[in-house]
Amino acid sequence: MAAYDYQYLAHLVRRAQVGSSDAFAELYVATYQQQYNFSYRYLQDEFLAQDAIQETYILALKNISTLRDPLVFVSWLNQINLRVCFEMYRKERRHDLELNRYDQAHLDFCEDRGENDSPELQVIREDEQEYVIKQILALPFSESQAILLRYYRNMKLGEIAKMMEISQSSVKRYLNSGRKMLAERLNRYAENRTN
């Protein structure tokens, strides 16, 4: 883990909040490598990681004035980076799935294998998946990060622990608490849909 001088970073954040581009440039230099390493490990693609970093720092610059506690800048930046990486991965995956669907539909048509799910059923499934993802992102950051890395990136506990810079037992704890919170939210959603 990078050894940050959080007091100095907070000082830079305060300066950046009042418009100092030099202060934000220093924040960028101080935090870039750790943010890039995370993006690269998450996306496993150098070019996507660079795009994610660019988007992360653009969002940070646009929203730095909303950061109430400058001492939590690194944590705040980590959250932005995770969400950017997750969205980029999801878009890439969706693109791949669409290509695969097209290929499969073409094969089905050519080989006359039968019909797929109805378009209505596909829309319902996509809406439900979208809701689950929103609920995961609404969890506390550590739980959200652990669940995304485990279930959406299929990473092993040891890999997640290394990436989050915590112990494997902490990963298990975050996964358990995150799953419980998510189950409660999804149960409430299911109950509301049936009422």
Side-chain angles (χ1 to χ4, degrees):
M1 181 173 183
Y4 292 118
D5 179 347
Y6 289 98
Q7 293 296 329
Y8 184 66
L9 290 179
H11 168 74
L12 292 174
V13 168
R14 286 185 204 96
R15 287 182 46 214
Q17 287 177 324
V18 294
S20 171
S21 58
D22 290 341
F24 192 81
E26 269 192 77
L27 287 168
Y28 174 85
V29 169
T31 58
Y32 171 83
Q33 194 59 54
Q34 182 185 14
Q35 296 303 317
Y36 176 79
N37 291 344
F38 177 85
S39 295
Y40 181 75
R41 279 187 251 152
Y42 190 100
L43 296 167
Q44 298 177 357
D45 181 289
E46 178 184 345
F47 299 107
L48 283 178
Q50 290 171 355
D51 289 346
I53 288 299
Q54 182 178 1
E55 182 67 21
T56 296
Y57 282 100
I58 288 170
L59 288 170
L61 179 60
K62 285 182 180 177
N63 296 296
I64 197 160
S65 62
T66 65
L67 182 61
R68 292 184 185 152
D69 183 358
L71 286 171
V72 299
F73 174 76
V74 173
S75 176
W76 179 73
L77 193 61
N78 290 343
Q79 290 181 33
I80 294 171
N81 194 4
L82 172 68
R83 290 173 191 263
V84 167
C85 287
F86 177 73
E87 286 300 320
M88 290 185 87
Y89 175 76
R90 196 166 70 145
K91 285 176 186 172
E92 285 295 311
R93 190 166 168 229
R94 184 181 302 146
H95 177 69
D96 291 344
L97 288 174
E98 286 171 2
L99 289 176
N100 290 340
R101 273 190 209 149
Y102 172 78
D103 291 344
Q104 189 61 47
H106 182 70
L107 284 173
D108 288 346
F109 178 76
C110 291
E111 296 176 13
D112 195 30
R113 291 186 180 173
E115 295 182 23
N116 291 333
D117 290 338
S118 70
E120 294 84 7
L121 187 56
Q122 289 178 4
V123 168
I124 290 169
R125 285 188 181 149
E126 288 175 10
D127 285 346
E128 288 173 349
Q129 289 175 351
E130 200 63 37
Y131 180 79
V132 170
I133 289 168
K134 285 180 183 175
Q135 293 308 307
I136 292 169
L137 291 173
L139 294 173
F141 179 69
S142 295
E143 283 80 354
S144 175
Q145 186 175 20
I147 287 174
L148 291 173
L149 293 174
R150 179 72 181 112
Y151 298 109
Y152 285 85
R153 293 295 292 149
N154 298 317
M155 294 177 76
K156 296 178 181 174
L157 295 179
E159 295 171 321
I160 297 170
K162 185 176 179 182
M163 198 163 183
M164 291 179 67
E165 299 175 342
I166 57 176
S167 67
Q168 285 191 32
S169 61
S170 294
V171 172
K172 289 178 187 176
R173 189 175 65 248
Y174 288 136
L175 285 170
N176 286 335
S177 64
R179 284 190 300 245
K180 286 178 187 174
M181 286 186 270
L182 187 59
E184 290 171 8
R185 292 173 185 212
L186 296 178
N187 286 337
R188 281 195 302 267
Y189 175 73
E191 288 170 7
N192 290 337
R193 288 188 71 191
T194 58
N195 291 338

